Structure formats: structure tokens, C-alpha cells
Amino acid sequence: MAKKVYLTTPIYYVNSVPHIGTTLTTVVADFCARIYRMQGHEVMFLTGTDENGLKVKEAAEKNGKTAKQHTDETSAEFARVFQEMNVSYDDFIRTTETRHVVAAQRLFTILRDNGYIFQDKYEGWYDVSSETFFKESDLIDGKSPDGNEVRWVSEDNWFFRLSAFQDRLLEHIEANPDWLLPHVRKNEVLSFIKQGLRDLCITRNNPGWGIPMPGDDSKVIYVWFDAVVNYLTATGWPEGDWDNIWPADIHWMAKEIFTRFHATLWPAMLMGAGLPLPKTVIAHGWFNFGDAKMSKSKGNVIAPLEFVDEIAALSGCRKEIAVDVVRFSLASLLPYEGDTNYTKEEVYKLYNVDLANDLGNALNRTLAMAHKFADGIIPDAPIEAEAQGAIDQALVSFESAMKVLRLNDALDAAMSPIRFVNKYIDTRAPWALAKTGDPALASVLRSMIACLRTAEGMLRPFIPTVCDEIAAQLNLAPTETWAEIGQPSHLPAGVKLGSPVPIFPRLDLKEIQKKAMEQTPTPAPAPAPAPAPAPAVAPVAEELISIEDFVKVKLKVGRVLEAEPIDGSDRLLKLQIVIGEEKRQIVAGIKKNYTPEDLIGRQVIVCVNLKPAKLRGVESQGMLLAATDAEGGAILLQPDKETPEGTGVK
């Protein structure tokens, strides 16, 4: 039986509920799990909660609950958040489960029997917040290196002989250059180990919560020793066919638990027990909110599901689509090496630019033109070399990024066919090919649809619900395997395409900013300025309006997808215009200067907040901006270069 690909997240401390940072690590691991499943691997994806330790007990007592009540409730909340964020985990482990207690005590016993655990007296500083021991020399201004309060501990305890593994750890890192990722953090680990590893206290006096030490119930196993064993526990170790899962292929985590615990203590424990080491240990950076690290203790966190609801309410998209918006933002803003600012404003920009403008626009334009110029049928024609090259390069770039787990770069590669097709449409101009009857039109349309189909497959691990929607609009089965992407069978000719349906209604960023400002306390008014002197020149003859009057007029960039004359009129044309994710019908008196063929594919400026009116019995949902020539004919205004449809005009 082939070994499963085994992926893990850290298990999350239940001293508080999940936030966008904990969601980041879990969703990133989910991206990997979905990619490997599409590539044909059987996957074991583990996440869960770390429920032992003094910090958990104190958090429960602070809230007037028992430790068990607190852990049951908080662990259930982590599971709920991950499920609603569409995380496809296979196992959710809790360190209070019997299977984990058995595994942790068993590993403790093996290490003690092998001579790597010994008894001694511990005196030193203990950071309850991070559940970490520190030497006097580690403290900074009387606090732990993380800035937390410490307390003095003096106890007879048991120690793990970590110092015995210094050379073996250095040798393993040297022999496996991609074992620790990213490489900048590997260098931090090397520096930490070379400073000299000291033996670690791994028991505490029993506070009434935790895993009892084997043979001595008066003590509990140190929470960090017990926590990392969860990765073994979930395999069924030490019983059964656990080696069909272990070793882990990828341990995902944030950087604060990387150097000291997952890149040093955990592999040393495995070495001491004679067990294989995980194949890759990777730690991403932190999300900052403004200039500060996002953390529960600072109260500056973003709750993921509340943010999902907010995006859905502001944009009008479905909630399950809003989930994918947050998933997309987590991949796009993944702090792979350094830290990254994660703000709602940044996510709103990603929504409008990458999803509404790029992805939504490409889908809408492609389907509309396929219906206009090919009766809504996928043409039986070869894909143009330029488009096939873009598809092939996207796959190569994706696989290159995945070798070092740069998920943000993998997402960028998956989006590249979308960026390509938007430029390709403008370059190849299907409307012009249709006007001249160019036989290349069928290949151009098929190439456009192929880029969308490729993106539907490549983006699926990141935004699966959106990709289901894309597949439905293409009237094709959702992509199941990675190998089919880019192949001729992935895009069968003759299929009747669905109609374009907007997925991402644009966010009105100005309105969002305005509401945010309204909710901000208003400072005391400044002293009134002196009256301005009277103007030296007489006012112009035209009636002047204020800026407040002008901003009431909403102008946006649109693109003409269809145009046809209105029966009985010598000047009116009926136009179907895409404005962002919205499609509008507009009647314009421009027939004297423009034929329908002249207009298809052209960008125009539209007044979008004009009341609808009927002209010759046909409703018009806006007005085009135009100048007037000497004969009174219209000269349509348009941007001087290609601009995303839906962009505001000021």
C-alpha cells in the first residue's frame, strides 16, 4: 500500500477562539491537501487543538468555567470555523483524547528507557503565556523574549537530554537542505542550535490539568512535549499500520513555534525514540494589522467568519463565495518569509482588482462573446500557440512554486491565464475578426475559453466554490485531476456554454471608506477661517454647481458586448454593456455615426445612476457620454487606454 501524503497544521491553543492568523495556517495546509488530492495522492490532513497546559486552566478559571468546559467549547469553535472556511481536514485531534494521552505517555516511556529522560531539580523562569522555560540571560527587562510576564519555578522535575542531539540535528539539516523552509528561517535554526542546546525540563507539578507522567501522577508532562506528539497520535502509533502515514510530509506552522520546538525539540524527540523525522517543516511569517503583530492578547485580530459576513453584505455576493474571497486573500497575502500587513482594506482591493476585474471580467467577456460570435458553442478549432504557451507556462510556474511551498506564488501562477486572456481579448479583438469574417475567430474563442478552463482547474484548491461556479457557467464538469488541466480532453468541442452570471459584484470602496469615517469619532472643529475676499472677476455665464452636486453623478467604464438597431428609429441603437460584474441595456442615439459592428468590444463611459427611461418602448438603464460634432452627431468618449470595466470616472 502506498504511503499517504501526511499534512499537519499546528494544534491550536484553546485559551481563546480562532482568528485570521490561525485560520491562515489551516487554510494554507488545506490548499496543499487539495492540490495533492488532485494530483492523485491519498492524503491524510490533520488539524486540532492543544488543550493541556497551565495557560488553558487559568483561562478557564478566569471565565468561571472548568478546564473541560472551556476546552470542549473552544475546541468546538475551532472545528466550526475551519469547517465553514471549507477546510477539508481528515482528522481533528484534541490532546485531551484518550488516544493522545496513551501516545504521549508511551513516547515519554520510550525516551526514558533509552536514557534520554532523567530526574533533576529545576529552578528558573516560566512564561505561562507561551508555556516556555527561560534562563535568566534570556529575559529582556524582566520579561520573556516575547514580552510576556514570567514567574519563578523551583521544582524536582524530569528533563529531556536535548543537548545530546545537537550534532545530529546539525548533520540532518546539512544533509537535507530543503528540510526546513523557508531557508531564511533555517538559518535562524542553525544559529540557535550552534549557540548550544540545553536540556529541557519536561514535567511540572500536577495542577489538576494535563497528561500525568507515567509512573508518577503527582506530575504532568510539559505541554510542549505532549503537544507535538499529536502528529504521531493521529497515525495510530504505536499500534497498527501507522507507518502507512508517518513520517509527516509537511508540518505547517507560524514562525514563533518553529525554531525552538518544531525544528529542534520535536526532531530530537523522534531521534531519541528511533522514529523517522518529518520530511518538511515550514513556518510562515505573521500577519500584521497596521504596524503591530496580529494577536489575541493585543485585541487587534480579525474574526474570519465575521469578515466573511461583512464581505457578503458589502458586495452582495453569496456567503460561500465570500468564504472563497477570504481564502484567496490568505493565499495571496501569505507571509512566506517576512511579515505581511493584512487589513480589510487590502482584502477589498484584492476583491475588486483580482476577482471582480480580472477573473469575473474574463469570464463575463468570454462567455458573452462566445454567445455573440459562436452561438454559445465551444468551437472545434485549435488553440492558438500564444494561448497554449501561456497555459503551459502557468502549469510550470505552479509546480515550481510548490516545490518550496510558496503558495502565494502558486496562486499567482494559477491566476496568470486570467491575466493573459484579458490582454489577449484586447489584442486579438474577436469583434473585429467577426466583422471581417476572419476564420481565426473560432481558434481565438476556443483559446479564450481554454484559459478560463485552465484557471478553473488551477484555482480549485484555493477557491473551490468559485471554481464550481465557473465550471457551471462553462457547462463543464468540475476539474477533478491535475493531469487533465491543459489537455485537449479538458475542453471538449461542441459543448453549449452557459450564460454569464456575475460572481463578484464590485465593492464600492469609496462608500466603504465613507461609512468607516462616519463611525470614527469626529474631532473638535477648528476655528472658522476668515471670510474669503470677493472674487475679482465676474462669474461665468453658465450656472455653477457645487462639488457636492457633481459627485452625485456616477460615471464608470463599460464595454459594449452587443449592439443592434431599434426598429423604426433612424438614430437609436440598443446596446448590452458590461460594467464590472453588471450587465446593462442602454439605448443611445448614436446610429448616425456608428454601426453596431463598430461598437462591439469598444469601451465607453456610462452614467450609471440615471433613472431608467423608455425610448421607443425599450428600457434604457443609463447614458453614454459623448461629444457632439458639427452635424450634431455623437462622438463617444472612451479611456485613452484599456481600463477594467467598472472603474470609476472622476
Side-chain angles (χ1 to χ4, degrees):
M1 181 184 295
K3 179 190 172 301
K4 295 181 180 180
V5 173
Y6 185 24
L7 310 172
T8 74
T9 73
I11 50 173
Y12 300 105
Y13 239 152
V14 291
N15 59 314
S16 187
V17 294
H19 57 76
I20 205 72
T22 51
T23 307
L24 165 69
T25 317
T26 312
V27 169
V28 163
D30 182 60
F31 299 153
C32 291
R34 290 175 180 270
I35 291 165
Y36 289 128
R37 291 188 190 112
M38 287 184 71
Q39 291 175 343
H41 300 284
E42 189 174 357
V43 172
M44 166 68 169
F45 172 20
L46 174 71
T47 190
T49 47
D50 182 2
E51 304 179 16
N52 297 311
L54 186 59
K55 181 168 66 171
V56 173
K57 182 174 183 293
E58 291 183 354
E61 292 170 348
K62 182 179 179 180
N63 293 322
K65 299 177 181 178
T66 66
K68 186 177 188 313
Q69 286 175 316
H70 173 82
T71 54
D72 285 348
E73 292 172 4
T74 311
S75 180
E77 180 64 10
F78 272 92
R80 183 183 75 86
V81 169
F82 295 162
Q83 288 164 6
E84 293 203 24
M85 288 302 300
N86 207 0
V87 175
S88 60
Y89 61 78
D90 298 293
D91 192 357
F92 188 98
I93 193 168
R94 299 179 58 184
T95 56
T96 50
E97 295 179 56
T98 300
R99 60 171 173 163
H100 179 69
V101 173
V102 170
Q105 291 178 330
R106 176 64 177 150
L107 188 63
F108 186 102
T109 301
I110 290 173
L111 289 171
R112 184 172 56 186
D113 292 346
N114 289 349
Y116 294 116
I117 291 179
F118 63 95
Q119 193 171 19
D120 203 348
K121 186 177 183 65
Y122 176 78
E123 288 189 332
W125 297 101
Y126 188 65
D127 175 355
V128 175
S129 182
S130 66
E131 301 277 14
T132 306
F133 297 99
F134 291 103
K135 298 180 293 186
E136 183 78 34
S137 59
D138 293 328
L139 303 186
I140 301 173
D141 296 329
K143 295 185 178 181
S144 76
D146 296 326
N148 301 322
E149 298 293 334
V150 294
R151 62 183 67 171
W152 183 259
V153 175
S154 178
E155 297 175 352
D156 289 323
N157 274 315
W158 292 79
F159 288 73
F160 174 59
R161 206 177 299 277
L162 183 60
S163 59
F165 298 93
Q166 179 166 327
D167 291 341
R168 290 175 63 182
L169 287 169
L170 292 173
E171 289 169 4
H172 187 79
I173 295 171
E174 180 69 25
N176 300 273
D178 289 335
W179 177 51
L180 303 178
L181 292 174
H183 293 145
V184 65
R185 263 185 274 288
K186 176 179 73 174
N187 295 334
E188 296 170 3
V189 174
L190 287 170
S191 176
F192 175 75
I193 295 174
K194 288 176 181 178
Q195 290 175 19
L197 297 179
R198 60 192 177 96
D199 297 336
L200 181 67
C201 179
I202 57 168
T203 62
R204 295 293 314 277
N205 286 339
N206 192 339
W209 186 252
I211 296 178
M213 173 186 156
D216 186 355
D217 288 352
S218 69
K219 299 193 178 298
V220 292
I221 298 173
Y222 173 44
V223 64
W224 267 109
F225 184 101
D226 124 47
V228 290
V229 180
N230 89 89
Y231 307 125
L232 267 180
T233 302
T235 70
W237 182 88
E239 306 297 335
D241 57 353
W242 58 272
D243 53 354
N244 183 43
I245 301 173
W246 189 261
D249 291 86
I250 304 172
H251 281 329
W252 268 106
M253 70 206 66
K255 65 182 183 180
E256 70 269 17
I257 59 174
F258 181 69
T259 299
R260 185 182 296 269
F261 299 112
H262 284 84
T264 304
L265 172 61
W266 175 227
M269 291 165 58
L270 292 168
M271 288 176 175
L275 293 169
L277 271 57
K279 296 179 181 179
T280 301
V281 185
I282 180 168
H284 60 74
W286 290 330
F287 273 156
N288 290 331
F289 188 79
D291 295 324
K293 175 196 170 186
M294 191 180 294
S295 71
K296 290 176 285 191
S297 61
K298 292 182 179 179
N300 63 351
V301 300
I302 295 174
L305 297 184
E306 291 178 11
F307 193 26
V308 165
D309 290 339
E310 184 175 319
I311 290 170
L314 290 171
S315 69
C317 72
R318 306 197 313 269
K319 181 175 179 178
E320 55 268 34
I321 297 295
V323 167
D324 272 4
V325 172
V326 175
R327 287 172 61 94
F328 184 93
S329 74
L330 293 175
S332 181
L333 299 173
L334 170 67
Y336 185 79
E337 289 174 330
D339 299 336
T340 301
N341 240 15
Y342 187 94
T343 64
K344 292 182 178 180
E345 292 73 20
E346 188 67 28
V347 176
Y348 298 152
K349 290 177 184 176
L350 284 173
Y351 177 99
N352 271 356
V353 174
D354 289 6
L355 296 175
N357 284 357
D358 288 352
L359 179 55
N361 202 32
L363 179 63
N364 199 309
R365 295 170 75 188
T366 298
L367 287 175
M369 291 184 196
H371 280 280
K372 179 69 176 178
F373 304 130
D375 297 323
I377 303 293
I378 298 177
D380 187 3
I383 296 171
E384 292 199 323
E386 183 185 6
Q388 188 62 54
I391 291 169
D392 294 343
Q393 183 56 53
L395 289 165
V396 169
S397 297
F398 191 102
E399 290 163 8
S400 176
M402 283 302 298
K403 288 179 181 177
V404 287
L405 301 177
R406 286 186 175 269
L407 273 299
N408 49 340
D409 289 346
L411 175 64
D412 186 70
M415 283 292 291
S416 64
I418 295 299
R419 292 190 294 269
F420 168 83
V421 78
N422 280 319
K423 294 179 181 178
Y424 177 78
I425 290 171
D426 298 332
T427 301
R428 296 296 278 133
W431 51 90
L433 300 177
K435 184 176 180 181
T436 61
D438 194 316
L441 177 62
S443 283
V444 170
L445 291 173
R446 184 176 179 85
S447 298
M448 292 160 55
I449 300 167
C451 288
L452 283 173
R453 180 60 159 163
T454 298
E456 177 269 328
M458 294 182 70
L459 287 169
R460 182 162 291 280
F462 302 97
I463 46 175
T465 302
V466 168
C467 290
D468 283 345
E469 181 68 25
I470 294 171
Q473 292 193 33
L474 294 175
N475 199 22
L476 296 170
T479 301
E480 293 184 353
T481 66
W482 197 261
E484 65 186 300
I485 299 174
Q487 300 301 311
S489 59
H490 197 220
L491 188 66
V495 172
K496 178 71 174 177
L497 296 164
S499 298
V501 179
I503 302 174
F504 305 106
R506 281 181 60 84
L507 286 166
D508 188 336
L509 299 183
K510 287 185 177 179
E511 186 63 26
I512 292 171
Q513 186 178 28
K514 179 183 175 183
K515 288 182 179 179
M517 292 178 66
E518 289 173 351
Q519 295 171 1
T520 303
T522 304
V537 295
V540 295
E542 289 90 346
E543 181 181 353
L544 299 179
I545 64 172
S546 68
I547 187 66
E548 288 78 10
D549 292 325
F550 179 75
V551 297
K552 292 177 182 177
V553 180
K554 300 296 184 184
L555 304 176
K556 293 187 178 182
V557 176
R559 187 183 298 274
V560 180
L561 289 184
E562 300 178 26
E564 59 182 299
I566 292 180
D567 292 340
S569 174
D570 59 358
R571 68 183 191 87
L572 297 179
L573 293 177
K574 181 172 69 173
L575 312 177
Q576 303 299 327
I577 297 178
V578 169
I579 308 167
E581 288 299 313
E582 181 184 10
K583 185 176 178 181
R584 289 203 185 189
Q585 175 175 285
I586 293 179
V587 177
I590 58 176
K591 188 176 179 181
K592 179 180 178 181
N593 285 20
Y594 298 94
T595 66
E597 291 76 17
D598 293 330
L599 295 168
I600 294 175
R602 181 189 180 112
Q603 288 199 316
V604 291
I605 306 299
V606 184
C607 177
V608 296
N609 63 337
L610 195 67
K611 289 182 179 179
K614 283 194 174 182
L615 302 173
R616 290 291 182 107
V618 180
E619 185 176 65
S620 181
Q621 302 163 334
M623 183 175 67
L624 304 187
L625 265 64
T628 305
D629 64 18
E631 286 75 37
I635 303 172
L636 289 175
L637 304 185
Q638 66 183 79
D640 69 351
K641 62 180 180 180
E642 278 292 318
T643 305
E645 283 86 71
T647 299
V649 177
K650 301 178 181 179

